[in-house]
Amino acid sequence: AVLCCASVMTVKAANEISIAGLTITDEIAASGIVDALNQVDGVTATGTITYNSATKTMTLNNASVIASNAKRLLAFSTWAGEVSIVLEGNNTNSGYVEGLYSNTYQNKITISGAGNLTISVLNWYPAFLMGGRLIIDNTTVSIICENYHQYGIGYNSGAGGELICNKANLTATN
C-alpha cells in the first residue's frame, strides 16, 4: 500500500466528533456511545467507547464499529483542535468509506495507548486529513483499503499535513 495525501476524518464545528454519522454530544457520551451507535441504521458497535469533551479524549476499549452505510467512521470538526484517541485492547473500525477523517489543517489527532486499532474500508481512503497533524504514539495502527487504489493515509496536497510515528507500528495494506 501507499501512504499518500488524502483525508479520513470529518469535522463540522467546535469540539464536534462523529462516529458513523452520529454526532457525539455530552448527552450521548453520558448515556452510552455504543448503545447510541447501535440505533443508527447500518451500524453495529460492540465494546466500550467513551468521550470526555473537556479533555477531548476518546477511549476505545475492545471496541468494534462496523458501518454498512456511507458514513465516515471517525470524523472531527473544523475546530476540534487537539484530540486524543486512547486505545485499550483490540479495536476495529470497518466500513464503506473513510475510517478516520479530519477536514481542516488546524486539527492535531494523537492516537496512543496499550491497545491497537485496525481501520478497514471498502472505498476511499481508510484515513484522510485535509492537513493538520496525525500522531501515532507508542501504539499499533493498521490501515486497510479493500478496493480504492492502494492508498492508506491521505492528505489534501494543497493543505499540507504531517504524519508522526513515535515508537509506533503503522501498517497500510490493500
Side-chain angles (χ1 to χ4, degrees), residues 10-63:
T10 304
V11 179
K12 298 176 186 175
N15 301 325
E16 185 174 294
I17 294 178
S18 67
I19 302 174
L22 175 71
T23 299
I24 306 304
T25 63
D26 286 339
E27 293 78 21
I28 289 172
S31 65
I33 294 171
V34 169
D35 290 339
L37 283 168
N38 284 316
Q39 301 303 311
V40 176
D41 188 42
V43 177
T44 303
T46 60
T48 304
I49 302 171
T50 61
Y51 181 67
N52 181 325
S53 62
T55 62
K56 297 183 184 178
T57 301
M58 177 176 290
T59 301
L60 305 177
N61 186 345
N62 291 312

Short mmCIF file of all heavy atoms in Angstrom, two decimals, residues 10-63:
data_model
loop_
_atom_site.label_atom_id
_atom_site.label_comp_id
_atom_site.label_asym_id
_atom_site.label_seq_id
_atom_site.Cartn_x
_atom_site.Cartn_y
_atom_site.Cartn_z
N THR A 10 -13.87 13.79 9.47
CA THR A 10 -14.63 14.98 9.12
C THR A 10 -14.99 15.75 10.37
O THR A 10 -15.53 15.20 11.30
CB THR A 10 -15.94 14.61 8.40
OG1 THR A 10 -15.62 13.83 7.27
CG2 THR A 10 -16.73 15.82 8.01
N VAL A 11 -14.71 17.04 10.34
CA VAL A 11 -15.01 17.89 11.49
C VAL A 11 -15.93 19.00 11.03
O VAL A 11 -15.68 19.62 10.02
CB VAL A 11 -13.71 18.49 12.05
CG1 VAL A 11 -14.01 19.38 13.21
CG2 VAL A 11 -12.76 17.38 12.42
N LYS A 12 -17.02 19.26 11.80
CA LYS A 12 -18.00 20.24 11.38
C LYS A 12 -17.98 21.50 12.23
O LYS A 12 -18.17 22.58 11.72
CB LYS A 12 -19.39 19.63 11.44
CG LYS A 12 -19.57 18.45 10.52
CD LYS A 12 -20.93 17.84 10.70
CE LYS A 12 -21.08 16.57 9.91
NZ LYS A 12 -22.34 15.91 10.18
N ALA A 13 -17.81 21.39 13.53
CA ALA A 13 -17.88 22.56 14.40
C ALA A 13 -17.00 22.33 15.60
O ALA A 13 -16.48 21.26 15.80
CB ALA A 13 -19.32 22.80 14.83
N ALA A 14 -16.87 23.35 16.42
CA ALA A 14 -16.00 23.25 17.59
C ALA A 14 -16.33 22.01 18.40
O ALA A 14 -17.48 21.75 18.73
CB ALA A 14 -16.13 24.50 18.44
N ASN A 15 -15.31 21.25 18.71
CA ASN A 15 -15.42 20.05 19.53
C ASN A 15 -16.32 18.98 18.94
O ASN A 15 -16.71 18.06 19.64
CB ASN A 15 -15.90 20.39 20.94
CG ASN A 15 -14.97 21.35 21.62
OD1 ASN A 15 -13.76 21.29 21.43
ND2 ASN A 15 -15.52 22.25 22.40
N GLU A 16 -16.67 19.07 17.70
CA GLU A 16 -17.58 18.08 17.14
C GLU A 16 -16.84 16.86 16.65
O GLU A 16 -15.89 16.95 15.88
CB GLU A 16 -18.40 18.66 16.00
CG GLU A 16 -19.43 17.66 15.51
CD GLU A 16 -20.35 18.23 14.49
OE1 GLU A 16 -21.12 19.14 14.83
OE2 GLU A 16 -20.29 17.77 13.35
N ILE A 17 -17.28 15.73 17.13
CA ILE A 17 -16.76 14.44 16.69
C ILE A 17 -17.96 13.58 16.34
O ILE A 17 -18.97 13.58 17.03
CB ILE A 17 -15.94 13.77 17.80
CG1 ILE A 17 -14.68 14.59 18.08
CG2 ILE A 17 -15.58 12.34 17.43
CD1 ILE A 17 -13.82 14.05 19.18
N SER A 18 -17.84 12.86 15.23
CA SER A 18 -18.92 11.94 14.89
C SER A 18 -18.34 10.56 14.61
O SER A 18 -17.20 10.43 14.19
CB SER A 18 -19.74 12.45 13.70
OG SER A 18 -18.96 12.46 12.53
N ILE A 19 -19.15 9.56 14.88
CA ILE A 19 -18.80 8.17 14.60
C ILE A 19 -19.93 7.61 13.75
O ILE A 19 -21.09 7.61 14.18
CB ILE A 19 -18.65 7.35 15.89
CG1 ILE A 19 -17.58 7.94 16.80
CG2 ILE A 19 -18.31 5.89 15.55
CD1 ILE A 19 -17.48 7.26 18.16
N ALA A 20 -19.59 7.17 12.55
CA ALA A 20 -20.57 6.58 11.63
C ALA A 20 -21.81 7.48 11.47
O ALA A 20 -22.93 7.01 11.42
CB ALA A 20 -20.96 5.18 12.09
N GLY A 21 -21.58 8.78 11.41
CA GLY A 21 -22.66 9.74 11.20
C GLY A 21 -23.35 10.21 12.46
O GLY A 21 -24.18 11.12 12.40
N LEU A 22 -23.03 9.64 13.62
CA LEU A 22 -23.64 10.04 14.89
C LEU A 22 -22.75 11.07 15.57
O LEU A 22 -21.61 10.77 15.93
CB LEU A 22 -23.81 8.82 15.80
CG LEU A 22 -24.34 9.10 17.21
CD1 LEU A 22 -25.81 9.50 17.16
CD2 LEU A 22 -24.13 7.87 18.10
N THR A 23 -23.27 12.29 15.74
CA THR A 23 -22.51 13.33 16.44
C THR A 23 -22.46 12.98 17.92
O THR A 23 -23.49 12.73 18.54
CB THR A 23 -23.16 14.71 16.25
OG1 THR A 23 -23.16 15.01 14.84
CG2 THR A 23 -22.39 15.79 16.99
N ILE A 24 -21.25 12.96 18.47
CA ILE A 24 -21.06 12.58 19.87
C ILE A 24 -21.21 13.83 20.73
O ILE A 24 -20.34 14.69 20.77
CB ILE A 24 -19.69 11.92 20.10
CG1 ILE A 24 -19.49 10.74 19.15
CG2 ILE A 24 -19.54 11.49 21.57
CD1 ILE A 24 -20.57 9.67 19.22
N THR A 25 -22.35 13.92 21.40
CA THR A 25 -22.62 15.03 22.33
C THR A 25 -22.30 14.56 23.75
O THR A 25 -22.11 13.36 23.99
CB THR A 25 -24.10 15.42 22.25
OG1 THR A 25 -24.89 14.30 22.68
CG2 THR A 25 -24.51 15.84 20.84
N ASP A 26 -22.29 15.50 24.68
CA ASP A 26 -22.08 15.12 26.08
C ASP A 26 -23.19 14.19 26.56
O ASP A 26 -22.94 13.26 27.33
CB ASP A 26 -22.02 16.37 26.97
CG ASP A 26 -20.71 17.13 26.82
OD1 ASP A 26 -19.71 16.53 26.36
OD2 ASP A 26 -20.69 18.33 27.15
N GLU A 27 -24.41 14.41 26.07
CA GLU A 27 -25.53 13.56 26.47
C GLU A 27 -25.34 12.13 25.97
O GLU A 27 -25.59 11.17 26.71
CB GLU A 27 -26.85 14.13 25.94
CG GLU A 27 -27.26 15.46 26.57
CD GLU A 27 -26.49 16.66 26.01
OE1 GLU A 27 -25.93 16.59 24.87
OE2 GLU A 27 -26.42 17.68 26.71
N ILE A 28 -24.93 11.98 24.72
CA ILE A 28 -24.69 10.64 24.17
C ILE A 28 -23.51 9.98 24.88
O ILE A 28 -23.56 8.79 25.21
CB ILE A 28 -24.48 10.70 22.65
CG1 ILE A 28 -25.81 11.03 21.96
CG2 ILE A 28 -23.89 9.40 22.11
CD1 ILE A 28 -25.71 11.30 20.49
N ALA A 29 -22.46 10.75 25.15
CA ALA A 29 -21.30 10.21 25.86
C ALA A 29 -21.70 9.71 27.24
O ALA A 29 -21.24 8.66 27.70
CB ALA A 29 -20.19 11.25 25.96
N ALA A 30 -22.58 10.45 27.91
CA ALA A 30 -23.01 10.06 29.26
C ALA A 30 -23.93 8.84 29.25
O ALA A 30 -23.88 8.01 30.15
CB ALA A 30 -23.71 11.24 29.94
N SER A 31 -24.77 8.73 28.22
CA SER A 31 -25.74 7.64 28.21
C SER A 31 -25.22 6.37 27.54
O SER A 31 -25.82 5.31 27.70
CB SER A 31 -27.04 8.09 27.52
OG SER A 31 -26.80 8.37 26.17
N GLY A 32 -24.13 6.47 26.80
CA GLY A 32 -23.55 5.28 26.18
C GLY A 32 -23.40 5.41 24.68
O GLY A 32 -24.40 5.36 23.95
N ILE A 33 -22.18 5.57 24.22
CA ILE A 33 -21.93 5.76 22.78
C ILE A 33 -22.24 4.48 22.00
O ILE A 33 -22.88 4.54 20.94
CB ILE A 33 -20.47 6.22 22.55
CG1 ILE A 33 -20.27 7.61 23.15
CG2 ILE A 33 -20.11 6.20 21.07
CD1 ILE A 33 -18.83 8.10 23.19
N VAL A 34 -21.83 3.33 22.51
CA VAL A 34 -22.08 2.07 21.79
C VAL A 34 -23.58 1.84 21.63
O VAL A 34 -24.05 1.47 20.54
CB VAL A 34 -21.37 0.89 22.48
CG1 VAL A 34 -21.84 -0.44 21.91
CG2 VAL A 34 -19.86 1.03 22.34
N ASP A 35 -24.36 2.06 22.69
CA ASP A 35 -25.81 1.90 22.59
C ASP A 35 -26.40 2.84 21.55
O ASP A 35 -27.28 2.44 20.76
CB ASP A 35 -26.48 2.16 23.94
CG ASP A 35 -26.18 1.06 24.95
OD1 ASP A 35 -25.82 -0.06 24.54
OD2 ASP A 35 -26.31 1.33 26.16
N ALA A 36 -25.94 4.08 21.53
CA ALA A 36 -26.44 5.06 20.55
C ALA A 36 -26.06 4.66 19.13
O ALA A 36 -26.86 4.79 18.20
CB ALA A 36 -25.92 6.45 20.88
N LEU A 37 -24.84 4.15 18.94
CA LEU A 37 -24.41 3.72 17.61
C LEU A 37 -25.27 2.56 17.09
O LEU A 37 -25.58 2.50 15.90
CB LEU A 37 -22.94 3.31 17.63
CG LEU A 37 -21.94 4.45 17.65
CD1 LEU A 37 -20.54 3.93 17.96
CD2 LEU A 37 -21.96 5.22 16.34
N ASN A 38 -25.66 1.68 17.98
CA ASN A 38 -26.48 0.55 17.56
C ASN A 38 -27.89 0.96 17.16
O ASN A 38 -28.62 0.15 16.58
CB ASN A 38 -26.51 -0.53 18.66
CG ASN A 38 -25.22 -1.32 18.68
OD1 ASN A 38 -24.69 -1.70 17.64
ND2 ASN A 38 -24.69 -1.55 19.87
N GLN A 39 -28.26 2.21 17.40
CA GLN A 39 -29.55 2.75 16.95
C GLN A 39 -29.46 3.38 15.56
O GLN A 39 -30.47 3.72 14.96
CB GLN A 39 -30.07 3.79 17.95
CG GLN A 39 -30.27 3.25 19.36
CD GLN A 39 -31.22 2.07 19.39
OE1 GLN A 39 -32.30 2.12 18.83
NE2 GLN A 39 -30.80 1.00 20.03
N VAL A 40 -28.23 3.55 15.04
CA VAL A 40 -28.02 4.15 13.72
C VAL A 40 -28.18 3.07 12.67
O VAL A 40 -27.58 1.98 12.76
CB VAL A 40 -26.61 4.79 13.63
CG1 VAL A 40 -26.35 5.32 12.22
CG2 VAL A 40 -26.46 5.90 14.67
N ASP A 41 -28.99 3.35 11.65
CA ASP A 41 -29.23 2.40 10.58
C ASP A 41 -27.92 2.01 9.90
O ASP A 41 -27.14 2.86 9.50
CB ASP A 41 -30.20 3.01 9.55
CG ASP A 41 -30.63 2.00 8.51
OD1 ASP A 41 -30.93 0.85 8.87
OD2 ASP A 41 -30.67 2.38 7.32
N GLY A 42 -27.67 0.71 9.80
CA GLY A 42 -26.48 0.22 9.12
C GLY A 42 -25.22 0.17 9.97
O GLY A 42 -24.14 -0.09 9.46
N VAL A 43 -25.34 0.40 11.27
CA VAL A 43 -24.17 0.43 12.15
C VAL A 43 -24.32 -0.63 13.24
O VAL A 43 -25.39 -0.77 13.84
CB VAL A 43 -23.98 1.81 12.80
CG1 VAL A 43 -22.79 1.80 13.78
CG2 VAL A 43 -23.77 2.88 11.74
N THR A 44 -23.25 -1.36 13.49
CA THR A 44 -23.17 -2.31 14.60
C THR A 44 -21.94 -1.96 15.42
O THR A 44 -20.85 -1.80 14.86
CB THR A 44 -23.04 -3.77 14.08
OG1 THR A 44 -24.15 -4.05 13.23
CG2 THR A 44 -23.00 -4.74 15.23
N ALA A 45 -22.11 -1.83 16.72
CA ALA A 45 -20.99 -1.48 17.61
C ALA A 45 -20.98 -2.39 18.82
O ALA A 45 -22.03 -2.78 19.33
CB ALA A 45 -21.11 -0.02 18.04
N THR A 46 -19.76 -2.73 19.27
CA THR A 46 -19.58 -3.52 20.48
C THR A 46 -18.41 -2.94 21.27
O THR A 46 -17.68 -2.08 20.78
CB THR A 46 -19.30 -5.01 20.17
OG1 THR A 46 -18.10 -5.09 19.39
CG2 THR A 46 -20.45 -5.65 19.42
N GLY A 47 -18.21 -3.44 22.47
CA GLY A 47 -17.11 -2.96 23.31
C GLY A 47 -17.49 -1.69 24.03
O GLY A 47 -18.67 -1.42 24.26
N THR A 48 -16.48 -0.89 24.35
CA THR A 48 -16.71 0.36 25.08
C THR A 48 -16.05 1.52 24.35
O THR A 48 -14.88 1.44 23.97
CB THR A 48 -16.13 0.26 26.51
OG1 THR A 48 -16.70 -0.88 27.16
CG2 THR A 48 -16.42 1.50 27.32
N ILE A 49 -16.82 2.59 24.17
CA ILE A 49 -16.31 3.83 23.60
C ILE A 49 -16.74 4.95 24.53
O ILE A 49 -17.92 5.11 24.81
CB ILE A 49 -16.86 4.10 22.19
CG1 ILE A 49 -16.52 2.95 21.24
CG2 ILE A 49 -16.32 5.44 21.65
CD1 ILE A 49 -17.22 3.03 19.89
N THR A 50 -15.77 5.72 25.02
CA THR A 50 -16.09 6.87 25.86
C THR A 50 -15.49 8.12 25.25
O THR A 50 -14.52 8.06 24.48
CB THR A 50 -15.56 6.70 27.30
OG1 THR A 50 -14.13 6.57 27.26
CG2 THR A 50 -16.16 5.47 27.97
N TYR A 51 -16.09 9.26 25.59
CA TYR A 51 -15.55 10.54 25.12
C TYR A 51 -15.70 11.58 26.22
O TYR A 51 -16.77 11.76 26.79
CB TYR A 51 -16.26 11.03 23.86
CG TYR A 51 -15.69 12.34 23.37
CD1 TYR A 51 -14.39 12.40 22.88
CD2 TYR A 51 -16.42 13.52 23.43
CE1 TYR A 51 -13.84 13.60 22.46
CE2 TYR A 51 -15.89 14.71 23.00
CZ TYR A 51 -14.59 14.75 22.52
OH TYR A 51 -14.05 15.93 22.11
N ASN A 52 -14.59 12.25 26.53
CA ASN A 52 -14.56 13.32 27.51
C ASN A 52 -14.36 14.63 26.74
O ASN A 52 -13.26 14.88 26.23
CB ASN A 52 -13.42 13.09 28.51
CG ASN A 52 -13.35 14.16 29.57
OD1 ASN A 52 -13.63 15.33 29.33
ND2 ASN A 52 -12.95 13.75 30.77
N SER A 53 -15.41 15.43 26.63
CA SER A 53 -15.31 16.66 25.83
C SER A 53 -14.41 17.70 26.48
O SER A 53 -13.84 18.54 25.78
CB SER A 53 -16.71 17.25 25.59
OG SER A 53 -17.32 17.61 26.81
N ALA A 54 -14.25 17.67 27.79
CA ALA A 54 -13.37 18.64 28.47
C ALA A 54 -11.91 18.42 28.09
O ALA A 54 -11.17 19.38 27.89
CB ALA A 54 -13.55 18.54 29.98
N THR A 55 -11.50 17.15 27.97
CA THR A 55 -10.12 16.86 27.60
C THR A 55 -9.98 16.49 26.13
O THR A 55 -8.87 16.26 25.65
CB THR A 55 -9.56 15.71 28.46
OG1 THR A 55 -10.34 14.53 28.20
CG2 THR A 55 -9.60 16.05 29.94
N LYS A 56 -11.12 16.38 25.42
CA LYS A 56 -11.16 15.98 24.02
C LYS A 56 -10.47 14.63 23.84
O LYS A 56 -9.64 14.44 22.96
CB LYS A 56 -10.53 17.04 23.13
CG LYS A 56 -11.27 18.36 23.14
CD LYS A 56 -10.62 19.33 22.19
CE LYS A 56 -11.28 20.69 22.27
NZ LYS A 56 -10.64 21.65 21.38
N THR A 57 -10.82 13.69 24.72
CA THR A 57 -10.22 12.36 24.69
C THR A 57 -11.29 11.29 24.45
O THR A 57 -12.25 11.20 25.20
CB THR A 57 -9.49 12.05 26.02
OG1 THR A 57 -8.49 13.04 26.23
CG2 THR A 57 -8.85 10.67 25.99
N MET A 58 -11.09 10.52 23.40
CA MET A 58 -11.94 9.38 23.11
C MET A 58 -11.15 8.13 23.46
O MET A 58 -9.99 8.00 23.08
CB MET A 58 -12.34 9.34 21.64
CG MET A 58 -13.18 8.11 21.28
SD MET A 58 -13.72 8.15 19.58
CE MET A 58 -14.92 9.48 19.68
N THR A 59 -11.77 7.21 24.20
CA THR A 59 -11.13 5.95 24.54
C THR A 59 -11.89 4.81 23.88
O THR A 59 -13.12 4.74 24.00
CB THR A 59 -11.09 5.75 26.07
OG1 THR A 59 -10.36 6.85 26.65
CG2 THR A 59 -10.39 4.44 26.43
N LEU A 60 -11.16 3.97 23.18
CA LEU A 60 -11.72 2.77 22.56
C LEU A 60 -11.19 1.58 23.34
O LEU A 60 -9.97 1.39 23.44
CB LEU A 60 -11.29 2.67 21.10
CG LEU A 60 -11.59 3.86 20.18
CD1 LEU A 60 -11.03 3.62 18.79
CD2 LEU A 60 -13.06 4.15 20.14
N ASN A 61 -12.09 0.79 23.92
CA ASN A 61 -11.69 -0.36 24.72
C ASN A 61 -12.35 -1.60 24.14
O ASN A 61 -13.56 -1.81 24.33
CB ASN A 61 -12.10 -0.16 26.18
CG ASN A 61 -11.58 -1.25 27.08
OD1 ASN A 61 -11.14 -2.29 26.63
ND2 ASN A 61 -11.63 -1.00 28.38
N ASN A 62 -11.56 -2.38 23.41
CA ASN A 62 -12.08 -3.57 22.71
C ASN A 62 -13.33 -3.20 21.92
O ASN A 62 -14.32 -3.93 21.92
CB ASN A 62 -12.36 -4.71 23.70
CG ASN A 62 -11.07 -5.27 24.26
OD1 ASN A 62 -10.14 -5.57 23.51
ND2 ASN A 62 -11.01 -5.40 25.57
N ALA A 63 -13.28 -2.07 21.26
CA ALA A 63 -14.43 -1.54 20.53
C ALA A 63 -14.39 -1.97 19.06
O ALA A 63 -13.32 -2.02 18.44
CB ALA A 63 -14.45 -0.01 20.62
#
